[in-house]
Amino acid sequence: MDAILEKHRQRQFQKEHQGPVPFHDSTEVTSLDRDAATTEVKDANSVTVIVNEKSYTLGMTPPIQPNISINLGISGDQWTACVSGFQEGIPKGDRSSVILCDDIFGASPIRVQKLGNLDGMHVRKNSLHDNWDDEHGYYKYHLGEVLDGHYRITAGSGKGVFSTVVQAKDLKAGKNDPEEVAIKIICNEKERYKSGKREVSVLEKLSSADREDKRHCVRFISSFMYRDHLCLVLESLHMNLREVIKKFGRDIGLKLTAVRTYSKQLFIALKHLKDCSILHCDIKPDNILVNGSRNLLKLCDFGSALPAGINVITPVLVSRFYRAPEIILGLPYDHSLDMWSVGCCLYELYTGKILFPGGTNNGMLWLHMELKGPFPKKMLRKGAFTTQHFDQDLNFHATDENLMMKKAVNKLCMNVKPKGVGAKISSFAGEDPKMLSSFKDLLEKIFVLDPQKRLTVSQALSHPFITGK
Ligand SMILES: Nc1ncnc2c1ncn2[C@@H]1O[C@H](COP(=O)(O)OP(=O)(O)OP(=O)(O)O)[C@@H](O)[C@H]1O
C-alpha cells in the first residue's frame, strides 16, 4: 500500500513538475516522455544526447531522480531537447537544466545552451482553467456542442493521456469532404499544446506525401483553437486494435489471414514513415485504428514522433511493452525501433497476448533474452545504460523485483538459451501450416536483438508471409 502511495505521489510530483522551461528567445520545449515514472536511470548526473552522430553530454545540477524525462520540442524549424526530473525538496530556484538545440532541417550549427533556474516552470495558469476543463486540463465536451461554429460533436471516441477524441459532423463539409470527422482535443496545457503543434507538422508532412491516401497513416484535415485547446481534425475511424483484440480475440487472437492483412498495411505505413524520415516512437495496438469493416488500418498518434537522425538517448522512449532493446540499453536508434514495436503488435494480434509484459526495463531485457538469447557483447559495450543491467563481465544483473524472486533467472543469466518466438505460437485448427510457418519466420527476423541486423521494411514487404509466395 505504501509503495502504491509512494508511486502515486511520485507521479503526481512529476506531473506537476513537467512543463516547458523558460528558454532563450522564448523558445520552449514540449514533452516526449509518456511514462517517465517507470524509468530506471540510476545515475543521472548527466545524459547523452546524440544528434547527427555527434554526442553531447548534458550535465545537470542538482542530481535528478530516476524518473528523468527528456523533452523534445519544435519551434519553427528549431528542434530542442530538454532534460528534467528533479529531486523533490530542492528549492525551486536551484533547479537547472541544459538544453540542446539543432536546426535539423537546415545547416545551422548545433548549439548547446545552459539554462539558469527553472523559475516559471509551471505554465498552466489558473485563468486558463475555466469551468469547461476538468482538473487535469481535459476539455469537458457535451454531445451536440458545436466546436468553432463548424463541427457538431456526435459521440465520444477515446481518451488518451494528452487528449480527448470525439466524433463530429462537419457542418460545412464540401461535396468531396467527409462529413464524419474525429477531433483530437489536446489538453489545455502549454506543454501539450506544443506537442500537439508538433503532431500537426508531422501529420501534414505525412498527408502531403500521400495524396492518394494509400500509405495507412491517419489523414489530417485541419486544426483550430477552441477555448484554449488545440483541436486536430482527423479522418474518423472506427476503433483501435486494442479494442479489436479485446472484442474479437481476447486471449486467443485473430485469424492468421486477418493478421496478414494488417501486417501488410502496417509495413506500408512503416515504409511511408521511412520515406518521410520520421520515427513514430509509440507504435502499439492503441495507436492503430481500423475502419468499420475492419479491413483497413491506419497508424495514428504522432505525438511522440521524431525526425530520423535525431537521437535523444533516453530509456523511456516508446511504451514499455513495445520498447526495443536498443532504447533500454541506450544505443543510437533508427527506423528499426518501430519495426520492433510492429512485431510486438503482430504477435499480440495473433495470440491475444502481450509478448514482453515486463514490469521494468530490466524485466524487459530479461524477456528479450529469454526469447532470443544473450545480447551480442559488441552491442552491450556500446550501450549508455548497459551498466544498469549487466555487470562488468557483461552478465545480466536482475534488479526487477519479479525477476529476483525467480531463482532460475540468476542461475540462467550466465547462459540464456533462446526459446525463439515460434515456440510461443501454437497453431489453430484450420490454419494454413505454410502461412503459419512463414509468420513465425517473419517474427523471428523482426525480433533480432541487434537493430542493425533486424528485418528492414523493404525485406518485410517482400517476405513470404506478406507476398504469399
Ligand atoms: N481518427 C480517429 N478516429 C477514431 N478514433 C480515434 C482517432 N484518433 C484517435 N482515436 C481514439 O482516441 C484514442 C486516443 O488517441 P491518441 O492516441 O491520438 O491520443 P493521445 O492523447 O496521444 O493518447 P496516448 O498518448 O495515450 O497514446 C485512440 O486510442 C483511439 O481509440
mmCIF file of all heavy atoms in Angstrom, residues 34 157-165 167 182-184 186 199 218 234-240 243 282 284-289 300-304, ligand 1:
data_model
loop_
_atom_site.group_PDB
_atom_site.id
_atom_site.type_symbol
_atom_site.label_atom_id
_atom_site.label_comp_id
_atom_site.label_asym_id
_atom_site.label_seq_id
_atom_site.Cartn_x
_atom_site.Cartn_y
_atom_site.Cartn_z
ATOM 1 N N ARG A 34 6.234 9.577 -22.105
ATOM 2 C CA ARG A 34 4.885 9.210 -21.710
ATOM 3 C C ARG A 34 4.857 8.482 -20.369
ATOM 4 O O ARG A 34 3.875 8.480 -19.674
ATOM 5 C CB ARG A 34 4.258 8.292 -22.763
ATOM 6 C CG ARG A 34 4.165 8.882 -24.122
ATOM 7 C CD ARG A 34 3.138 9.980 -24.112
ATOM 8 N NE ARG A 34 3.140 10.685 -25.376
ATOM 9 C CZ ARG A 34 2.235 10.517 -26.315
ATOM 10 N NH1 ARG A 34 1.261 9.679 -26.143
ATOM 11 N NH2 ARG A 34 2.294 11.208 -27.416
ATOM 12 N N SER A 157 -15.016 9.313 -28.530
ATOM 13 C CA SER A 157 -14.332 8.286 -29.309
ATOM 14 C C SER A 157 -13.181 7.650 -28.563
ATOM 15 O O SER A 157 -12.864 6.492 -28.761
ATOM 16 C CB SER A 157 -13.846 8.900 -30.614
ATOM 17 O OG SER A 157 -13.391 7.916 -31.469
ATOM 18 N N GLY A 158 -12.554 8.396 -27.709
ATOM 19 C CA GLY A 158 -11.424 7.817 -26.990
ATOM 20 C C GLY A 158 -10.794 8.861 -26.102
ATOM 21 O O GLY A 158 -11.054 10.055 -26.227
ATOM 22 N N LYS A 159 -9.983 8.393 -25.187
ATOM 23 C CA LYS A 159 -9.258 9.322 -24.333
ATOM 24 C C LYS A 159 -7.820 8.867 -24.247
ATOM 25 O O LYS A 159 -7.559 7.700 -23.971
ATOM 26 C CB LYS A 159 -9.901 9.364 -22.950
ATOM 27 C CG LYS A 159 -9.483 10.569 -22.149
ATOM 28 C CD LYS A 159 -10.416 10.808 -20.982
ATOM 29 C CE LYS A 159 -10.021 12.064 -20.234
ATOM 30 N NZ LYS A 159 -10.934 12.409 -19.172
ATOM 31 N N GLY A 160 -6.906 9.764 -24.550
ATOM 32 C CA GLY A 160 -5.502 9.429 -24.432
ATOM 33 C C GLY A 160 -4.939 10.108 -23.195
ATOM 34 O O GLY A 160 -5.677 10.724 -22.424
ATOM 35 N N VAL A 161 -3.636 9.970 -23.006
ATOM 36 C CA VAL A 161 -3.007 10.612 -21.856
ATOM 37 C C VAL A 161 -3.050 12.127 -22.021
ATOM 38 O O VAL A 161 -3.131 12.877 -21.055
ATOM 39 C CB VAL A 161 -1.549 10.125 -21.713
ATOM 40 C CG1 VAL A 161 -0.867 10.793 -20.532
ATOM 41 C CG2 VAL A 161 -1.513 8.623 -21.543
ATOM 42 N N PHE A 162 -3.015 12.580 -23.257
ATOM 43 C CA PHE A 162 -2.887 14.013 -23.500
ATOM 44 C C PHE A 162 -4.090 14.633 -24.197
ATOM 45 O O PHE A 162 -4.046 15.805 -24.561
ATOM 46 C CB PHE A 162 -1.652 14.287 -24.376
ATOM 47 C CG PHE A 162 -0.381 13.774 -23.778
ATOM 48 C CD1 PHE A 162 0.565 13.139 -24.565
ATOM 49 C CD2 PHE A 162 -0.125 13.926 -22.426
ATOM 50 C CE1 PHE A 162 1.739 12.659 -24.017
ATOM 51 C CE2 PHE A 162 1.035 13.450 -21.866
ATOM 52 C CZ PHE A 162 1.976 12.807 -22.656
ATOM 53 N N SER A 163 -5.123 13.865 -24.460
ATOM 54 C CA SER A 163 -6.214 14.411 -25.256
ATOM 55 C C SER A 163 -7.516 13.659 -25.048
ATOM 56 O O SER A 163 -7.532 12.561 -24.503
ATOM 57 C CB SER A 163 -5.839 14.329 -26.739
ATOM 58 O OG SER A 163 -5.812 12.969 -27.130
ATOM 59 N N THR A 164 -8.588 14.280 -25.527
ATOM 60 C CA THR A 164 -9.883 13.614 -25.620
ATOM 61 C C THR A 164 -10.200 13.574 -27.101
ATOM 62 O O THR A 164 -9.987 14.571 -27.796
ATOM 63 C CB THR A 164 -10.970 14.463 -24.928
ATOM 64 O OG1 THR A 164 -10.521 14.786 -23.628
ATOM 65 C CG2 THR A 164 -12.282 13.733 -24.859
ATOM 66 N N VAL A 165 -10.704 12.444 -27.596
ATOM 67 C CA VAL A 165 -11.025 12.359 -29.020
ATOM 68 C C VAL A 165 -12.543 12.186 -29.156
ATOM 69 O O VAL A 165 -13.128 11.353 -28.475
ATOM 70 C CB VAL A 165 -10.261 11.211 -29.701
ATOM 71 C CG1 VAL A 165 -10.610 11.135 -31.184
ATOM 72 C CG2 VAL A 165 -8.749 11.390 -29.526
ATOM 73 N N GLN A 167 -16.077 12.171 -31.957
ATOM 74 C CA GLN A 167 -16.580 12.091 -33.330
ATOM 75 C C GLN A 167 -17.407 13.347 -33.551
ATOM 76 O O GLN A 167 -18.105 13.795 -32.648
ATOM 77 C CB GLN A 167 -17.488 10.870 -33.515
ATOM 78 C CG GLN A 167 -16.823 9.534 -33.269
ATOM 79 C CD GLN A 167 -15.797 9.187 -34.324
ATOM 80 O OE1 GLN A 167 -16.008 9.449 -35.494
ATOM 81 N NE2 GLN A 167 -14.670 8.636 -33.895
ATOM 82 N N ALA A 182 -13.016 12.953 -36.867
ATOM 83 C CA ALA A 182 -12.636 12.761 -35.464
ATOM 84 C C ALA A 182 -11.880 14.023 -35.056
ATOM 85 O O ALA A 182 -11.101 14.564 -35.857
ATOM 86 C CB ALA A 182 -11.740 11.542 -35.316
ATOM 87 N N ILE A 183 -12.139 14.505 -33.865
ATOM 88 C CA ILE A 183 -11.403 15.696 -33.402
ATOM 89 C C ILE A 183 -10.639 15.349 -32.132
ATOM 90 O O ILE A 183 -11.223 14.872 -31.144
ATOM 91 C CB ILE A 183 -12.363 16.879 -33.166
ATOM 92 C CG1 ILE A 183 -13.096 17.176 -34.487
ATOM 93 C CG2 ILE A 183 -11.587 18.118 -32.695
ATOM 94 C CD1 ILE A 183 -13.988 18.382 -34.461
ATOM 95 N N LYS A 184 -9.347 15.540 -32.216
ATOM 96 C CA LYS A 184 -8.486 15.267 -31.057
ATOM 97 C C LYS A 184 -8.326 16.600 -30.324
ATOM 98 O O LYS A 184 -7.688 17.523 -30.847
ATOM 99 C CB LYS A 184 -7.138 14.708 -31.561
ATOM 100 C CG LYS A 184 -6.150 14.382 -30.461
ATOM 101 C CD LYS A 184 -4.983 13.559 -31.011
ATOM 102 C CE LYS A 184 -3.907 13.330 -29.986
ATOM 103 N NZ LYS A 184 -2.866 12.400 -30.416
ATOM 104 N N ILE A 186 -6.704 18.535 -27.639
ATOM 105 C CA ILE A 186 -5.493 18.404 -26.806
ATOM 106 C C ILE A 186 -5.724 19.085 -25.460
ATOM 107 O O ILE A 186 -6.387 20.128 -25.384
ATOM 108 C CB ILE A 186 -4.283 19.063 -27.528
ATOM 109 C CG1 ILE A 186 -4.125 18.514 -28.957
ATOM 110 C CG2 ILE A 186 -3.008 18.945 -26.727
ATOM 111 C CD1 ILE A 186 -3.570 17.144 -29.093
ATOM 112 N N GLU A 199 2.739 17.415 -33.518
ATOM 113 C CA GLU A 199 1.986 16.341 -34.159
ATOM 114 C C GLU A 199 1.363 16.847 -35.465
ATOM 115 O O GLU A 199 1.367 16.147 -36.482
ATOM 116 C CB GLU A 199 0.901 15.815 -33.208
ATOM 117 C CG GLU A 199 0.138 14.648 -33.807
ATOM 118 C CD GLU A 199 -0.738 13.887 -32.816
ATOM 119 O OE1 GLU A 199 -0.874 14.319 -31.659
ATOM 120 O OE2 GLU A 199 -1.300 12.859 -33.227
ATOM 121 N N VAL A 218 -3.113 7.991 -40.572
ATOM 122 C CA VAL A 218 -4.380 8.709 -40.442
ATOM 123 C C VAL A 218 -4.317 10.060 -41.167
ATOM 124 O O VAL A 218 -3.287 10.741 -41.142
ATOM 125 C CB VAL A 218 -4.755 8.868 -38.936
ATOM 126 C CG1 VAL A 218 -3.877 9.898 -38.242
ATOM 127 C CG2 VAL A 218 -6.209 9.192 -38.755
ATOM 128 N N LEU A 234 -9.262 15.091 -37.814
ATOM 129 C CA LEU A 234 -8.687 13.910 -38.480
ATOM 130 C C LEU A 234 -9.789 13.109 -39.150
ATOM 131 O O LEU A 234 -10.963 13.251 -38.783
ATOM 132 C CB LEU A 234 -8.009 13.018 -37.434
ATOM 133 C CG LEU A 234 -6.977 13.682 -36.530
ATOM 134 C CD1 LEU A 234 -6.697 12.809 -35.317
ATOM 135 C CD2 LEU A 234 -5.690 13.943 -37.299
ATOM 136 N N GLU A 235 -9.405 12.283 -40.087
ATOM 137 C CA GLU A 235 -10.407 11.362 -40.637
ATOM 138 C C GLU A 235 -10.915 10.491 -39.485
ATOM 139 O O GLU A 235 -10.167 10.181 -38.549
ATOM 140 C CB GLU A 235 -9.810 10.493 -41.741
ATOM 141 C CG GLU A 235 -8.949 9.378 -41.237
ATOM 142 C CD GLU A 235 -8.509 8.408 -42.333
ATOM 143 O OE1 GLU A 235 -9.363 7.735 -42.900
ATOM 144 O OE2 GLU A 235 -7.299 8.354 -42.596
ATOM 145 N N SER A 236 -12.168 10.114 -39.583
ATOM 146 C CA SER A 236 -12.748 9.348 -38.496
ATOM 147 C C SER A 236 -12.615 7.846 -38.751
ATOM 148 O O SER A 236 -12.964 7.357 -39.823
ATOM 149 C CB SER A 236 -14.230 9.722 -38.391
ATOM 150 O OG SER A 236 -14.857 8.849 -37.511
ATOM 151 N N LEU A 237 -12.099 7.147 -37.774
ATOM 152 C CA LEU A 237 -12.013 5.686 -37.891
ATOM 153 C C LEU A 237 -12.855 5.061 -36.787
ATOM 154 O O LEU A 237 -13.427 5.764 -35.955
ATOM 155 C CB LEU A 237 -10.557 5.243 -37.878
ATOM 156 C CG LEU A 237 -9.915 5.575 -39.240
ATOM 157 C CD1 LEU A 237 -8.561 6.180 -39.078
ATOM 158 C CD2 LEU A 237 -9.865 4.360 -40.141
ATOM 159 N N HIS A 238 -12.917 3.738 -36.826
ATOM 160 C CA HIS A 238 -13.926 3.078 -36.005
ATOM 161 C C HIS A 238 -13.444 2.691 -34.607
ATOM 162 O O HIS A 238 -14.047 3.025 -33.613
ATOM 163 C CB HIS A 238 -14.402 1.841 -36.775
ATOM 164 C CG HIS A 238 -15.586 1.201 -36.177
ATOM 165 N ND1 HIS A 238 -16.798 1.849 -36.051
ATOM 166 C CD2 HIS A 238 -15.769 -0.039 -35.652
ATOM 167 C CE1 HIS A 238 -17.661 1.040 -35.484
ATOM 168 N NE2 HIS A 238 -17.065 -0.113 -35.227
ATOM 169 N N MET A 239 -12.374 1.944 -34.547
ATOM 170 C CA MET A 239 -11.854 1.517 -33.245
ATOM 171 C C MET A 239 -10.361 1.210 -33.351
ATOM 172 O O MET A 239 -9.829 1.099 -34.454
ATOM 173 C CB MET A 239 -12.607 0.305 -32.691
ATOM 174 C CG MET A 239 -12.546 -0.943 -33.532
ATOM 175 S SD MET A 239 -13.130 -2.403 -32.617
ATOM 176 C CE MET A 239 -14.838 -2.346 -32.824
ATOM 177 N N ASN A 240 -9.696 1.111 -32.205
ATOM 178 C CA ASN A 240 -8.261 0.805 -32.271
ATOM 179 C C ASN A 240 -8.037 -0.705 -32.124
ATOM 180 O O ASN A 240 -8.940 -1.451 -31.763
ATOM 181 C CB ASN A 240 -7.468 1.639 -31.252
ATOM 182 C CG ASN A 240 -7.794 1.292 -29.816
ATOM 183 O OD1 ASN A 240 -7.895 0.121 -29.461
ATOM 184 N ND2 ASN A 240 -7.958 2.304 -28.973
ATOM 185 N N GLU A 243 -8.899 -2.513 -28.947
ATOM 186 C CA GLU A 243 -10.329 -2.836 -28.819
ATOM 187 C C GLU A 243 -10.703 -4.028 -29.707
ATOM 188 O O GLU A 243 -11.507 -4.871 -29.323
ATOM 189 C CB GLU A 243 -11.175 -1.608 -29.197
ATOM 190 C CG GLU A 243 -11.026 -0.469 -28.199
ATOM 191 C CD GLU A 243 -11.467 0.893 -28.735
ATOM 192 O OE1 GLU A 243 -11.381 1.148 -29.960
ATOM 193 O OE2 GLU A 243 -11.869 1.724 -27.916
ATOM 194 N N ASP A 282 5.903 5.350 -30.918
ATOM 195 C CA ASP A 282 4.898 4.911 -29.947
ATOM 196 C C ASP A 282 3.902 3.960 -30.598
ATOM 197 O O ASP A 282 2.689 4.051 -30.372
ATOM 198 C CB ASP A 282 4.169 6.112 -29.324
ATOM 199 C CG ASP A 282 3.458 5.736 -28.024
ATOM 200 O OD1 ASP A 282 3.787 4.673 -27.450
ATOM 201 O OD2 ASP A 282 2.574 6.487 -27.584
ATOM 202 N N LYS A 284 1.789 0.884 -30.918
ATOM 203 C CA LYS A 284 1.167 -0.111 -30.023
ATOM 204 C C LYS A 284 -0.270 -0.256 -30.502
ATOM 205 O O LYS A 284 -0.758 0.588 -31.262
ATOM 206 C CB LYS A 284 1.235 0.350 -28.558
ATOM 207 C CG LYS A 284 0.636 1.725 -28.306
ATOM 208 C CD LYS A 284 0.800 2.131 -26.855
ATOM 209 C CE LYS A 284 0.277 3.549 -26.629
ATOM 210 N NZ LYS A 284 0.404 4.012 -25.263
ATOM 211 N N PRO A 285 -0.979 -1.318 -30.079
ATOM 212 C CA PRO A 285 -2.331 -1.536 -30.618
ATOM 213 C C PRO A 285 -3.271 -0.348 -30.425
ATOM 214 O O PRO A 285 -4.136 -0.096 -31.249
ATOM 215 C CB PRO A 285 -2.817 -2.764 -29.846
ATOM 216 C CG PRO A 285 -1.564 -3.501 -29.500
ATOM 217 C CD PRO A 285 -0.535 -2.443 -29.235
ATOM 218 N N ASP A 286 -3.074 0.416 -29.336
ATOM 219 C CA ASP A 286 -3.938 1.578 -29.076
ATOM 220 C C ASP A 286 -3.779 2.662 -30.144
ATOM 221 O O ASP A 286 -4.659 3.504 -30.315
ATOM 222 C CB ASP A 286 -3.579 2.228 -27.736
ATOM 223 C CG ASP A 286 -3.281 1.210 -26.675
ATOM 224 O OD1 ASP A 286 -2.288 0.445 -26.832
ATOM 225 O OD2 ASP A 286 -4.026 1.141 -25.705
ATOM 226 N N ASN A 287 -2.629 2.674 -30.796
ATOM 227 C CA ASN A 287 -2.342 3.731 -31.771
ATOM 228 C C ASN A 287 -2.475 3.239 -33.213
ATOM 229 O O ASN A 287 -1.883 3.810 -34.132
ATOM 230 C CB ASN A 287 -0.950 4.328 -31.511
ATOM 231 C CG ASN A 287 -0.926 5.150 -30.240
ATOM 232 O OD1 ASN A 287 -1.985 5.602 -29.791
ATOM 233 N ND2 ASN A 287 0.237 5.350 -29.653
ATOM 234 N N ILE A 288 -3.222 2.171 -33.380
ATOM 235 C CA ILE A 288 -3.505 1.663 -34.722
ATOM 236 C C ILE A 288 -5.034 1.576 -34.829
ATOM 237 O O ILE A 288 -5.682 0.911 -34.018
ATOM 238 C CB ILE A 288 -2.859 0.277 -34.944
ATOM 239 C CG1 ILE A 288 -1.336 0.367 -34.725
ATOM 240 C CG2 ILE A 288 -3.172 -0.240 -36.352
ATOM 241 C CD1 ILE A 288 -0.639 -0.973 -34.631
ATOM 242 N N LEU A 289 -5.597 2.276 -35.785
ATOM 243 C CA LEU A 289 -7.054 2.359 -35.900
ATOM 244 C C LEU A 289 -7.542 1.565 -37.108
ATOM 245 O O LEU A 289 -6.818 1.441 -38.099
ATOM 246 C CB LEU A 289 -7.483 3.823 -36.055
ATOM 247 C CG LEU A 289 -7.014 4.794 -34.957
ATOM 248 C CD1 LEU A 289 -7.366 6.223 -35.339
ATOM 249 C CD2 LEU A 289 -7.655 4.431 -33.621
ATOM 250 N N CYS A 300 -1.972 5.964 -36.035
ATOM 251 C CA CYS A 300 -2.333 7.296 -35.526
ATOM 252 C C CYS A 300 -1.423 7.680 -34.366
ATOM 253 O O CYS A 300 -0.488 6.963 -34.047
ATOM 254 C CB CYS A 300 -3.804 7.327 -35.110
ATOM 255 S SG CYS A 300 -4.168 6.583 -33.503
ATOM 256 N N ASP A 301 -1.715 8.790 -33.746
ATOM 257 C CA ASP A 301 -0.979 9.355 -32.609
ATOM 258 C C ASP A 301 0.511 9.576 -32.915
ATOM 259 O O ASP A 301 1.376 8.791 -32.506
ATOM 260 C CB ASP A 301 -1.145 8.487 -31.357
ATOM 261 C CG ASP A 301 -0.614 9.209 -30.128
ATOM 262 O OD1 ASP A 301 -0.130 10.361 -30.266
ATOM 263 O OD2 ASP A 301 -0.648 8.635 -29.027
ATOM 264 N N PHE A 302 0.755 10.670 -33.592
ATOM 265 C CA PHE A 302 2.137 11.014 -33.936
ATOM 266 C C PHE A 302 2.724 12.017 -32.935
ATOM 267 O O PHE A 302 3.654 12.741 -33.243
ATOM 268 C CB PHE A 302 2.198 11.543 -35.378
ATOM 269 C CG PHE A 302 1.878 10.459 -36.384
ATOM 270 C CD1 PHE A 302 0.573 10.209 -36.775
ATOM 271 C CD2 PHE A 302 2.884 9.658 -36.888
ATOM 272 C CE1 PHE A 302 0.271 9.182 -37.668
ATOM 273 C CE2 PHE A 302 2.594 8.622 -37.778
ATOM 274 C CZ PHE A 302 1.293 8.393 -38.171
ATOM 275 N N GLY A 303 2.136 12.027 -31.737
ATOM 276 C CA GLY A 303 2.576 12.973 -30.714
ATOM 277 C C GLY A 303 3.968 12.688 -30.169
ATOM 278 O O GLY A 303 4.572 13.552 -29.536
ATOM 279 N N SER A 304 4.494 11.500 -30.379
ATOM 280 C CA SER A 304 5.852 11.195 -29.901
ATOM 281 C C SER A 304 6.841 11.097 -31.060
ATOM 282 O O SER A 304 8.019 10.780 -30.830
ATOM 283 C CB SER A 304 5.876 9.842 -29.183
ATOM 284 O OG SER A 304 4.973 9.824 -28.124
HETATM 285 N N1 LIG B 1 -9.004 9.480 -36.086
HETATM 286 C C1 LIG B 1 -9.589 8.796 -35.099
HETATM 287 N N2 LIG B 1 -10.769 8.164 -35.294
HETATM 288 C C2 LIG B 1 -11.348 7.459 -34.276
HETATM 289 N N3 LIG B 1 -10.821 7.323 -33.047
HETATM 290 C C3 LIG B 1 -9.643 7.919 -32.786
HETATM 291 C C4 LIG B 1 -8.971 8.694 -33.795
HETATM 292 N N4 LIG B 1 -7.829 9.158 -33.269
HETATM 293 C C5 LIG B 1 -7.790 8.700 -32.005
HETATM 294 N N5 LIG B 1 -8.877 7.953 -31.701
HETATM 295 C C6 LIG B 1 -9.167 7.264 -30.407
HETATM 296 O O1 LIG B 1 -8.669 8.032 -29.342
HETATM 297 C C7 LIG B 1 -7.634 7.320 -28.635
HETATM 298 C C8 LIG B 1 -6.562 8.297 -28.196
HETATM 299 O O2 LIG B 1 -5.978 8.913 -29.346
HETATM 300 P P1 LIG B 1 -4.440 9.304 -29.412
HETATM 301 O O3 LIG B 1 -3.623 8.077 -29.122
HETATM 302 O O4 LIG B 1 -4.163 10.004 -30.687
HETATM 303 O O5 LIG B 1 -4.382 10.320 -28.174
HETATM 304 P P2 LIG B 1 -3.180 10.616 -27.154
HETATM 305 O O6 LIG B 1 -3.695 11.596 -26.163
HETATM 306 O O7 LIG B 1 -1.962 10.982 -27.906
HETATM 307 O O8 LIG B 1 -3.048 9.200 -26.488
HETATM 308 P P3 LIG B 1 -1.818 8.458 -25.775
HETATM 309 O O9 LIG B 1 -0.762 9.450 -25.592
HETATM 310 O O10 LIG B 1 -2.438 7.955 -24.521
HETATM 311 O O11 LIG B 1 -1.440 7.316 -26.719
HETATM 312 C C9 LIG B 1 -7.153 6.237 -29.626
HETATM 313 O O12 LIG B 1 -6.638 5.104 -28.969
HETATM 314 C C10 LIG B 1 -8.442 5.918 -30.372
HETATM 315 O O13 LIG B 1 -9.212 4.998 -29.643
#
